[in-house]
Each structure stands twice: as C-alpha cells, then as structure tokens.
Amino acid sequence: MGFILLALGLVLIAEGLVYALAPSLVEHLLEMLRALSEAQRRNAGLAALALGLILVWLAFRFGV
C-alpha cells in the first residue's frame, strides 16, 4: 500500500508542477491531443503505459 501512495503522490507532484509552472503549455498540449485521432491517442497511451511499466520494473530491479 505504501508504494501505491508513493507513486500516486509522485504523479500528483509532477502534474501539479506542470500546471503551476506552465499552464499555457498544458492548454497547447490539450489542443494538440484533440487534433490526434482516437487510435493515435490510444497508441500514445499504450506507449506511456509500457514506458511506465519499464520504469517501475527498473526501479524494483535496482533496489527501490
């Protein structure tokens, strides 16, 4: 349970920093995402999921 809370906290910190430091960049990114097709957004989501899994695996592999 502790790792889940840690992971959630880190995600919220990263998200909060983006919104606090560059809110106009977030709006521009959302406009770019709207321009993508549903299939392209799905593929980007799957790529992000795969990268996240690899990073978590590496963290555990090297001793978190």
Side-chain angles (χ1 to χ4, degrees), residues 20-64:
L21 298 176
S24 61
L25 181 63
V26 173
E27 290 179 20
H28 182 66
L29 179 61
L30 290 174
E31 289 173 11
M32 290 172 52
L33 284 172
R34 277 189 219 107
L36 296 176
S37 70
E38 185 178 325
Q40 289 172 314
R41 289 190 306 258
R42 181 174 291 119
N43 287 337
L46 289 171
L49 174 66
L51 179 60
L53 286 171
I54 291 168
L55 290 174
V56 168
W57 178 79
L58 286 171
F60 277 108
R61 174 100 166 112
F62 293 110
V64 165

